[in-house]
Amino acid sequence: MSRILIACTAGLLFITSHAHAQLGVSAGMNLATMATRTNLPERKASANSRSGYQVSLFYEKQLTERFSIVPELSFSRQGVGLKLEDYHLSDGAYAAQYQLGLSYLNMPVLLRATFGKFYLEAGPQLGLQVAAHEQGAEEKGSIAGSREYTIDRPATDRYRRLDVALSAGVGVKLPAGFGLGIRASAGLLPLTGEQPTHRHEYRAPLRNQVVQASLSYQLGS
């Protein structure tokens, strides 16, 4: 994780120094949940949002007087409460209720349109899941009966490592290089699915949904 972060940070600094771009940093809070829609009544899921945080390094490269491109590298710590039921299994049933914590290295590339002090931005985001942890309880059933387990475990390999999302946000530039922004992102790839890592694991798709608010500072403003 540290090697990836160092390499990406060095890349941003190199591009900034050669592109006359405006380097910036930001930090703030996020609120995460998951899209849980399924077409099978035997599979049910609900998600409760949890708060987290993110820190970012970005640069803004001016394209025209109004438009700019804003690549960013951010570390995001996000959490969600999940309640899952899957009875559409040939070898038994699965139910669980637990808190899921996820850590991502996210790399959005946003097109920004500025209108005076305000701006709108949107673009794709690539995310790499670097850590996950589950804490709660799960129940596994078979023809022989069911057993309930207390879980408190690393879960990095139980969820898709690579995420792709669409992001959009609004913001305002304040005096002395500071700024405030709000951004939402919606994951396009399921974190779970029809090929589970573990037997009895929930097999319907779960997708990330995150809203974040941040305070930024741009050097040389």
Side-chain angles (χ1 to χ4, degrees), residues 24-29 54 58 60 72 110 112-121 168-184 212-218 221:
V25 294
S26 69
M29 304 296 293
Q54 78 279 336
F58 67 92
E60 182 176 5
E72 181 179 302
L110 306 174
R112 179 176 291 181
T114 302
F115 305 90
K117 296 181 179 180
F118 298 91
Y119 63 82
L120 303 173
E121 59 185 12
V170 297
V172 57
K173 293 187 176 183
L174 304 175
F178 290 96
L180 292 173
I182 298 176
R183 186 187 303 168
Q212 67 181 60
S214 60
L215 174 67
S216 63
Y217 176 73
Q218 287 183 272
S221 297

Side-chain angles (χ1 to χ4, degrees), residues 25 39 48 52 55-56 70 82 102 121 134 140 169 171 176 186 210 213 217:
V25 294
N39 295 323
N48 295 320
V55 292
S56 305
V70 186
L82 289 173
L102 295 165
E121 59 185 12
E134 297 173 339
K140 298 179 180 181
V210 182
Y217 176 73

Side-chain angles (χ1 to χ4, degrees), residues 40-73:
L40 293 174
E42 298 89 351
R43 291 175 177 164
K44 299 178 182 179
S46 60
N48 295 320
S49 58
R50 295 288 186 270
S51 60
Y53 66 90
Q54 78 279 336
V55 292
S56 305
L57 175 69
F58 67 92
Y59 73 90
E60 182 176 5
K61 170 61 177 174
Q62 209 69 34
L63 301 177
T64 67
E65 183 177 351
R66 185 177 301 278
F67 292 99
S68 58
I69 192 81
V70 186
E72 181 179 302
L73 174 66

Side-chain angles (χ1 to χ4, degrees), residues 7-148:
C8 293
T9 301
L12 277 176
L13 292 173
F14 176 82
I15 295 172
T16 300
S17 63
H18 286 74
H20 306 289
Q22 197 170 29
L23 184 67
V25 294
S26 69
M29 304 296 293
N30 63 48
L31 196 64
T33 186
M34 287 190 179
T36 59
R37 183 178 178 182
T38 175
N39 295 323
L40 293 174
E42 298 89 351
R43 291 175 177 164
K44 299 178 182 179
S46 60
N48 295 320
S49 58
R50 295 288 186 270
S51 60
Y53 66 90
Q54 78 279 336
V55 292
S56 305
L57 175 69
F58 67 92
Y59 73 90
E60 182 176 5
K61 170 61 177 174
Q62 209 69 34
L63 301 177
T64 67
E65 183 177 351
R66 185 177 301 278
F67 292 99
S68 58
I69 192 81
V70 186
E72 181 179 302
L73 174 66
S74 69
F75 174 78
S76 177
R77 177 64 178 172
Q78 55 203 57
V80 61
L82 289 173
K83 183 177 182 181
L84 310 173
E85 296 179 3
D86 194 342
Y87 299 105
H88 191 73
L89 299 172
S90 59
D91 52 359
Y94 176 81
Q97 186 168 352
Y98 57 88
Q99 302 298 316
L100 172 62
L102 295 165
S103 296
Y104 280 92
L105 282 178
N106 290 321
M107 290 164 278
V109 179
L110 306 174
L111 180 64
R112 179 176 291 181
T114 302
F115 305 90
K117 296 181 179 180
F118 298 91
Y119 63 82
L120 303 173
E121 59 185 12
Q125 174 177 284
L126 183 67
L128 177 65
Q129 186 241 113
V130 295
H133 190 272
E134 297 173 339
Q135 185 175 20
E138 66 180 6
E139 183 178 353
K140 298 179 180 181
S142 68
I143 192 171
S146 63
R147 292 186 63 184
E148 186 172 344

